[in-house]
């Protein structure tokens, strides 16, 4: 799964937003994302497999956090499109 596939799902974007301010446990993410624990766990696994999320075990608990590198890669890709001129016919 590439970066854009990983971020295409709205639930995964809510999970990413929930982790923006630091690491959290699954239960904390469930409350913010509005998805059942099993769904959050599945999406976290996909985000982990695509490199966006790290997991830090601490006893029975698991703490999830964002990795900056994949976001930098997306930003580099987007940078090449920032110079595009705005189409005046598309303005509203």
């Amino acid at each position: 799964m590439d970066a854009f596939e990983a971020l295409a799902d709205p639930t995964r974007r809510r999970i990413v937003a929930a982790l923006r301010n630091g690491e959290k446990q699954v239960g904390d993410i469930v409350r913010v994302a509005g998805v059942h624990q099993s769904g959050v766990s599945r999406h976290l696994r996909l985000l982990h497999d695509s490199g966006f999320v790290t997991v830090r075990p601490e006893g029975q608990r698991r703490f999830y956090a964002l990795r900056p590198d994949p976001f930098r890669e997306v930003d580099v890709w987007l940078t090449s499109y920032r110079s595009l001129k705005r189409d005046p016919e598309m303005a509203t």
Side-chain angles (χ1 to χ4, degrees), residues 28-65:
D28 298 327
I29 299 167
V30 165
R31 283 188 284 283
V32 174
V35 178
H36 291 288
Q37 188 273 331
S38 61
V40 167
S41 294
R42 182 174 51 88
H43 286 293
L44 281 169
R45 185 173 48 253
L46 291 169
L47 288 166
H48 180 268
D49 291 348
S50 62
F52 279 92
V53 171
T54 62
V55 60
R56 180 178 63 84
E58 186 176 286
Q60 294 293 324
R61 301 181 301 176
R62 302 286 179 265
F63 291 89
Y64 293 87

